[in-house]
Amino acid sequence: MVNRSDINYFGAGPAPLPTAVLERASQALLNYQDKGLGLCEISHRSPEANAILADTKQALTTLLDIPDDYEILFLQSGGTGEFSATVYNLVSIWVEKKRAKIAEEVGDNKEEVLKRLRKVVDEELKLDYLVTGSWSLKASQEAARLIGAKHINVAVDARKANDGKFGVIPSEDQWSLTPRSSAGGPAFVYFCDNETVDGIEFPSFPHSLEGDDAPLVCADMSSNFISRKVDVRKYAVIFGGAQKNIGNTGIAIVIMRKSLLPPHSTPASPDLLRELGLSVGPIVLDYPTIAKNNSLYNTLPIFDVWVAGQVMNGLVDLYGTKRIGGQEEISDEKARLIYEALEKHSDVYRVVPDKSVRSRMNICFRVHGGDAEKEKAFLAGAEKKGLVGLKGHRSVGGIRASNYNAVSLDGTKLLVSYIEEYAKTT
């Protein structure tokens, strides 16, 4: 029989969870707070469910020092659903702002307002995407599918600087962001902070977007959420799927400025969007609706929220006043150990991404130049030592060590020892 303690799991997601959280979860599934009902059975509108929501929000707020003027939402869409949600919600806000400005100029002449608005949408609506890996590429493709490719500005396609493959982030002087003007700028700028498939992570917030109030900056942080400090104020919207560092599969978490919600911002009406030929989003992805209903517009999987809360509260208790900075230190150390071992044996291993953008979370490398049989041997040898989940994404192959928060420092050291051992014996 294989025990949980015998395995160190480096899979990219669903990812490992702290054993203590799973042990508490097993009890909560059977009998939550001695109520005779399991956590998956209680009403999502019960006092217990509301307490779980409040507790999880508070844990995340504490870890990331989220300001009061930000809202936290829980949705069932996953990160992929948020590719669509950001488009639906932020384009709608952009359109309404343009409509209101035109209405100020022409008064109550609805036909003239619509005529001018059509022209503005046709000529000025742009969404800027920084395509640095597989997930930001998918996000840009979804945006093009929803509102048309003419409105999508791929401000950077990193493949063009790397022989058709992802692995670098071009310098910012090579980006072609939509020009800012007195009339405004793009509806938003989108980037993926950490590319799970390709092992690429932005080392810091892009300098080009510092202090830029014109765009609404959205960031997919699915695979590096709660692994390092984040200056939340720099973002209009942050989102991430839970199944990497935060919890189990089932929810996405959105952190967004309250200024994007009513009464501060008003989305365009569905009728107007249809008249303009733009998509109307499903209500389960509508941020104002979700916020108004405390994430309970539809039946939220409270168990998934509870697990996320348990994980985050564990970090709050562990690191105290260091908050997420404590976890960042551990994450950095684990990544350093693995990369140093790989670089030490550069005749055997090749790290895929450029050193300047290597992910701390998803460490992608090839064995003997990508020799298929030798990579299979590497994986087989690792599994014998209880080091599992190391196979690279099917689209790129190779080896990928997803070094998420629940992977212990000791587990990382075991992987490093195997990397050293394999290199010396191959």
Side-chain angles (χ1 to χ4, degrees):
M1 177 180 176
V2 178
N3 294 314
R4 183 174 178 83
S5 59
D6 297 328
I7 297 297
N8 288 281
Y9 183 57
F10 294 89
L17 284 162
T19 298
V21 170
L22 291 176
E23 289 172 342
R24 291 195 295 273
S26 67
Q27 294 302 311
L29 282 170
L30 290 171
N31 189 352
Y32 182 66
Q33 294 186 344
D34 290 326
K35 295 185 179 298
L37 289 173
L39 189 50
C40 287
E41 300 168 300
I42 67 170
S43 169
H44 65 298
R45 302 193 188 282
S46 65
E48 292 80 14
N50 277 280
I52 289 169
L53 278 166
D55 182 63
T56 304
K57 285 183 180 182
Q58 184 56 54
L60 183 55
T61 298
T62 299
L63 281 175
L64 296 185
D65 195 21
I66 299 174
D68 291 339
D69 55 345
Y70 279 73
E71 183 65 79
I72 299 172
L73 308 178
F74 299 94
L75 300 92
Q76 292 167 269
S77 59
T80 303
E82 293 309 302
F83 296 169
S84 306
T86 49
V87 174
Y88 287 133
N89 286 278
L90 300 182
V91 166
S92 181
I93 291 172
W94 185 91
V95 168
E96 176 55 26
K97 285 182 177 178
K98 295 294 184 181
R99 187 210 63 79
K101 184 177 181 180
I102 293 170
E104 286 181 2
E105 297 171 357
V106 304
D108 295 330
N109 189 333
K110 294 183 179 180
E111 288 186 7
E112 182 63 19
V113 169
L114 185 59
K115 177 183 175 181
R116 292 196 186 187
L117 185 57
R118 279 200 180 102
K119 188 174 188 296
V120 167
V121 169
D122 183 62
E123 296 178 356
E124 297 181 20
L125 176 58
K126 292 295 181 183
L127 280 57
D128 284 1
Y129 279 80
L130 309 182
V131 176
T132 56
S134 300
W135 289 113
S136 51
L137 176 61
K138 287 180 183 293
S140 69
Q141 291 169 337
E142 173 65 357
R145 189 182 73 87
L146 293 176
I147 65 169
K150 65 176 290 185
H151 297 299
I152 309 306
N153 173 40
V154 177
V156 58
D157 184 341
R159 295 171 296 182
K160 294 179 180 179
N162 195 46
D163 296 325
K165 295 181 180 180
F166 293 119
V168 301
I169 298 178
S171 61
E172 294 186 36
D173 59 6
Q174 298 180 47
W175 297 3
S176 56
L177 295 166
T178 297
R180 278 61 168 161
S181 68
S182 58
F188 61 81
V189 181
Y190 182 104
F191 67 96
C192 179
D193 205 45
N194 186 85
E195 292 280 2
T196 317
V197 172
D198 307 283
I200 298 160
E201 186 174 30
F202 276 84
S204 59
F205 187 85
H207 178 74
S208 300
L209 304 177
E210 290 277 4
D212 189 353
D213 294 329
L216 303 172
V217 181
C218 309
D220 177 358
M221 292 187 181
S222 293
S223 49
N224 66 353
F225 222 146
I226 63 170
S227 73
R228 67 177 180 181
K229 295 177 182 177
V230 175
D231 187 350
V232 174
R233 289 193 180 278
K234 292 183 177 180
Y235 300 87
V237 177
I238 293 171
F239 72 81
Q243 69 277 10
K244 312 289 186 180
N245 273 327
I246 304 172
N248 56 296
T249 303
I251 58 169
I253 299 177
V254 173
I255 305 169
M256 64 180 299
R257 288 182 188 147
K258 290 180 179 177
S259 61
L260 296 173
L261 297 167
H264 311 289
S265 291
T266 304
S269 71
D271 288 343
L272 177 59
L273 292 172
R274 279 189 285 267
E275 285 193 81
L276 295 169
L278 295 172
S279 299
V280 177
I283 199 163
V284 293
L285 297 181
D286 184 65
Y287 291 158
T289 299
I290 303 303
K292 181 180 178 181
N293 289 276
N294 191 30
S295 298
L296 297 171
Y297 177 77
N298 60 323
T299 307
L300 186 69
I302 290 298
F303 174 76
D304 301 339
V305 179
W306 180 86
V307 170
Q310 292 292 301
V311 170
M312 291 188 287
N313 273 307
L315 295 179
V316 171
D317 293 341
L318 180 62
Y319 295 117
T321 56
K322 280 189 174 182
R323 300 187 182 185
I324 208 61
Q327 182 59 53
E328 182 174 18
E329 292 174 3
I330 298 297
S331 297
D332 290 350
E333 174 66 6
K334 292 191 297 178
R336 182 189 66 80
L337 290 171
I338 295 175
Y339 280 124
E340 283 186 356
L342 295 171
E343 289 177 334
K344 181 179 177 181
H345 300 283
S346 58
D347 56 326
V348 178
Y349 306 109
R350 176 178 64 84
V351 179
V352 176
D354 185 76
K355 191 170 185 177
S356 63
V357 295
R358 289 176 182 173
S359 170
R360 300 162 304 118
M361 295 288 102
N362 308 104
I363 298 169
C364 298
F365 59 97
R366 305 308 299 252
V367 178
H368 287 292
D371 183 288
E373 292 305 314
K374 290 184 177 180
E375 289 188 337
K376 285 181 181 178
F378 178 91
L379 292 170
E383 287 197 16
K384 289 179 181 179
K385 294 181 176 294
L387 305 167
V388 299
L390 287 164
K391 188 175 181 179
H393 191 273
R394 62 187 180 278
S395 66
V396 295
I399 315 297
R400 175 175 56 176
S402 292
N403 207 19
Y404 297 134
N405 290 356
V407 174
S408 68
L409 182 58
D410 287 341
T412 297
K413 289 178 178 178
L414 288 173
L415 175 59
V416 168
S417 294
Y418 175 65
I419 288 171
E420 296 266 8
E421 176 187 318
Y422 180 88
K424 293 174 182 177
T425 58
T426 185

